[in-house]
Amino acid sequence: MAAVALFRANVTLMVDSTLAGRAFPPTSAYAVTEANIAAFAQAVGTQWTPGDPAPATFPIVVAFAAMQDLMVDPTVGIKLHNVIHGQQKFVHARSVQAGDHLTAQLTVTGLRQIGGADIIATTSAITDANGELVCTAEATLIHSGGTQ
Amino acid sequence: MIPAKTYRVTREDLVAYANASGDPNPIHQDEEVARSVGLPNVIAHGMFTMALAARFVDEYVGQPGQIQELSAKFTKPVVVPIEGTDVTIEGEDVDGKIRLTVTCQGERVLGNPVAILR
């Protein structure tokens, strides 16, 4: 049974079948400025004044950089234009503030296939300059085979 | 129930969001590119819509930074034609756990959107 399962995994997955569990290097530190937060808040119409914490989805800026690193890694096998964002969750240990220097470290927590698409579950630990956890950002990416 | 609010979403918002969030994918800005990959028109970033959901919760709470957890599935795209579109959000607060309903053109665009307050 195991051999059959392995064989099936090899022929159906479009990405590296050993991807689950893989930890990627942390992103370079992102300096959060008042201007960054203001621009983000303004784009979505959120009222924000200097000194306020950043909006709850602001850490996507850092998490997205980590996801980009995963998606462009040639050993992973993702075709960028075949990826859609399926699901997102933020768990905040604390709010993001201007002056933070944030780094995201992404781990692939799951890999399965449904209906011809690779479902890639990721968790990015977003930490500050002291290495303290600020936020955990979980993203599910759906990678379809596509026709291109 | 938390009363519904409707937010106008325009192409200009999506361009501003792309710049602010670092996601330059042209399907969120360029009609021709969006159609070339089989979409009906430009679509909002899923994260843009999720940010609107966070805005709704912030406005309900009356102060920023009170969201401890926020989660959603991106089940349907928010299609943004040249004249813009409306996204309507309402919610129910059960002891600080806010279940949201986020719709565009009468259809739910986020699956199981939930915010948990501190």
Side-chain angles (χ1 to χ4, degrees):
Chain A
M1 279 306 286
V4 172
L6 187 61
F7 172 74
R8 288 189 54 186
N10 283 342
V11 293
T12 56
L13 282 170
M14 291 160 284
V15 296
D16 173 12
S17 62
T18 65
L19 194 57
R22 189 162 154 196
F24 284 74
T27 59
S28 51
Y30 174 90
V32 180
T33 65
E34 286 185 348
N36 299 148
I37 302 175
F40 189 95
Q42 190 174 19
V44 294
T46 298
Q47 202 173 12
W48 185 84
T49 47
D52 283 348
T57 67
F58 184 83
I60 197 65
V61 175
V62 190
F64 190 73
M67 286 191 262
Q68 289 278 32
D69 289 347
L70 161 77
M71 293 189 288
V72 302
D73 187 322
T75 68
V76 172
I78 287 177
K79 291 188 178 68
L80 205 53
H81 54 267
N82 289 339
V83 176
I84 60 169
H85 196 175
Q87 203 170 328
Q88 183 67 42
K89 179 177 185 177
F90 298 95
V91 180
H92 288 269
R94 68 165 172 86
S95 299
V96 173
Q97 298 280 350
D100 277 333
H101 288 73
L102 301 179
T103 299
Q105 192 273 309
L106 181 146
T107 302
V108 176
T109 53
L111 177 64
R112 61 203 167 100
Q113 197 180 55
I114 295 177
D118 302 325
I119 314 293
I120 305 163
T122 70
T123 294
S124 294
I126 298 172
T127 50
D128 64 18
N130 298 323
E132 298 285 335
L133 184 69
V134 174
C135 177
T136 303
E138 299 173 14
T140 303
L141 304 173
I142 302 172
H143 179 244
S144 61
T147 52
Q148 296 165 52
Chain B
M1 286 298 289
I2 307 168
K5 282 190 177 179
T6 295
Y7 301 108
R8 191 74 186 158
V9 179
T10 67
R11 295 270 179 91
E12 289 71 26
D13 296 332
L14 301 187
V15 172
Y17 185 80
N19 292 333
S21 72
D23 182 351
N25 191 331
I27 64 169
H28 306 303
Q29 300 187 39
D30 186 321
E31 197 165 319
E32 207 170 301
V33 173
R35 291 189 197 279
S36 77
V37 296
L39 294 166
N41 209 323
V42 166
I43 62 167
H45 309 72
M47 285 307 306
F48 178 92
T49 309
M50 195 174 188
L52 280 184
R55 172 185 170 185
F56 175 83
V57 174
D58 282 352
E59 289 173 356
Y60 162 67
V61 174
Q63 61 170 312
Q66 297 305 304
I67 297 173
Q68 183 169 319
E69 286 189 33
L70 183 66
S71 56
K73 291 179 184 175
F74 304 109
T75 46
K76 265 195 178 299
V78 171
V79 178
V80 184
I82 191 75
E83 67 274 17
T85 192
D86 286 332
V87 170
T88 299
I89 307 180
E90 58 185 14
E92 192 173 11
D93 181 354
V94 180
D95 300 329
K97 181 174 184 174
I98 301 175
R99 294 188 179 281
L100 301 161
T101 304
V102 182
T103 57
C104 180
Q105 298 284 319
E107 292 199 88
R108 288 180 189 227
V109 290
L110 294 184
N112 200 24
V114 173
I116 296 173
L117 303 180
R118 291 186 196 285

